[in-house]
Amino acid sequence: MKIITQVGVALFLILNINNVIAQEIEVTGNSQTIADNSGNSPSTTNHTDFEQATSRTFTIKNVKSGSPSTLNISSIVLSNTTDFTISSPLGNSSLIKGNSSNFTISVTNSSCGTYNSTVTIYSDATNDGVDNVWVYSISTTLSPEIDLIGNSI
């Protein structure tokens, strides 16, 4: 009877330890949350739709509650590196509970048109599915600028 009780207690402790060290990621733009797997729905509210801006800054935060843990960001990847670039990389790729770090994405194309990219963040977070990937879309539309000159007036 004692052996079964000890095995049950040991199993409970192992499960609890796994829950304590889990990390959670939150991604924001313009201080607004960006949903994981937000698909092709960029928004001006969270700056995933750049509008006419040439760059946008995004924040990654470790929002884990409970015991201290570190969120490790292994990489941030853009699907369209022709029209967008990470102009300011993540300042800190290891974030302790409650800490955040910023990165900036810039538009590199100056021609008129609509450009899209998928942003993929690889980390050891547990709240973004089993693949540990946070995915969202960004978009921008560049419009022509017109200068009218007439008779030097």
Side-chain angles (χ1 to χ4, degrees), residues 1-15:
M1 189 82 159
K2 284 185 178 181
I3 294 174
I4 294 173
T5 304
Q6 289 172 347
V7 171
V9 170
L11 181 59
F12 174 74
L13 288 175
I14 291 170
L15 292 176

Side-chain angles (χ1 to χ4, degrees), residues 10-138:
L11 181 59
F12 174 74
L13 288 175
I14 291 170
L15 292 176
N16 258 352
I17 289 171
N18 285 337
N19 283 335
V20 168
I21 62 171
Q23 303 83 9
E24 293 182 17
I25 187 173
E26 176 183 75
V27 181
T28 59
N30 195 32
S31 300
Q32 303 295 311
T33 300
I34 300 170
D36 187 13
N37 294 312
S38 59
N40 293 321
S41 56
S43 167
T44 56
T45 305
N46 62 19
H47 283 175
T48 52
D49 181 340
F50 281 43
E51 297 181 290
Q52 294 292 318
T54 57
S55 67
R56 294 291 193 195
T57 298
F58 300 95
T59 302
I60 297 175
K61 183 175 183 178
N62 182 353
V63 294
K64 172 65 183 152
S65 59
S67 296
S69 62
T70 301
L71 170 66
N72 296 296
I73 309 298
S74 52
S75 65
I76 302 172
V77 178
L78 301 175
S79 65
N80 177 352
T81 56
T82 301
D83 302 312
F84 296 93
T85 187
I86 298 174
S87 56
S88 178
L90 199 61
N92 187 357
S93 60
S94 294
L95 304 172
I96 61 171
K97 175 183 72 171
N99 285 6
S100 61
S101 189
N102 298 329
F103 67 99
T104 302
I105 298 175
S106 296
V107 179
T108 57
N109 195 328
S110 59
S111 299
C112 297
T114 299
Y115 306 98
N116 300 295
S117 183
T118 300
V119 180
T120 306
I121 302 170
Y122 295 92
S123 74
D124 61 356
T126 58
N127 66 322
D128 56 0
V130 295
D131 56 0
N132 296 333
V133 175
W134 196 275
V135 179
Y136 65 96
S137 296
I138 57 175

